[in-house]
Amino acid sequence: NAGVMQNPRHLVRRRGQEARLRCSPMKGHSHVYWYRQLPEEGLKFMVYLQKENIIDESGMPKERFSAEFPKEGPSILRIQQVVRGDSAAYFCASSRDWDRGETQYFGPGTRLLVL
Amino acid sequence: DQQVKQNSPSLSVQEGRISILNCDYTNSMFDYFLWYKKYPAEGPTFLISISSIKDKNEDGRFTVFLNKSAKHLSLHIVPSQPGDSAVYFCAASEIGYGNKLVFGAGTILRVKS
């Protein structure tokens, strides 16, 4: 009865490198959300995906960031050419359905540090 | 533009007493509200939610109150326990925007034994 899994838990990158963050939703969940938390702030919505579809990417920066949720395998949040401002905790959540009564269950997060 | 505000960065309460955490929002289109609890190095954990058609929802020691006219909600924890010490986030979602959550900045609750 595993919960939402995220890996790696900690990731260190140098400026200009790529960061790949993975999220495996709870069993039976086909909806995935990515949120970012900057220091001293709340979580900020980035993107909402269903299997093979991006439903809402209104919170995603237009450049360097992309997300996918393939038919098989985990959801991936990809950050190209990272900058120091990308240092944050990235949380993934999953839900069984899209309805607002459906609880979003969060993973433990990936803490990205850009040197 | 902070649509969900938690104006108290921290709160300290004695064990056994009531903890009251407050949250204000500015977007009148929000109609579903949630509270999450977060321990260090973990992800947020869902606590309790309330729809805008209600003004109160209770689950064990946790009660959420919603005042739509004031655009204010509060979470009451009674009695408070040391294990309740965590960061509490208020979140809201807007009709027509699916399950996208807007979070406040959080309140650190410390329950002293």
Side-chain angles (χ1 to χ4, degrees), chain B residues 16-30:
Chain B
R17 307 293 291 267
I18 185 171
S19 296
I20 300 177
L21 296 102
N22 293 303
C23 178
D24 297 294
Y25 60 96
T26 57
N27 186 343
S28 57
M29 298 303 289
F30 286 149

Side-chain angles (χ1 to χ4, degrees), chain A residues 38-89:
Chain A
L38 295 170
E40 310 299 324
E41 294 186 15
L43 284 74
K44 297 277 196 295
F45 169 81
M46 298 181 75
V47 62
Y48 163 38
L49 311 102
Q50 293 179 33
K51 286 281 187 184
E52 300 185 278
N53 287 303
I54 297 175
I55 307 301
D56 181 352
E57 56 181 349
S58 58
M60 193 98 99
K62 294 286 184 281
E63 297 179 353
R64 303 186 298 109
F65 285 72
S66 63
E68 63 176 9
F69 189 16
K71 187 176 180 181
E72 301 291 338
S75 175
I76 307 284
L77 179 67
R78 183 181 176 208
I79 312 173
Q80 295 178 290
Q81 300 173 342
V82 295
V83 301
R84 290 217 173 110
D86 297 332
S87 295

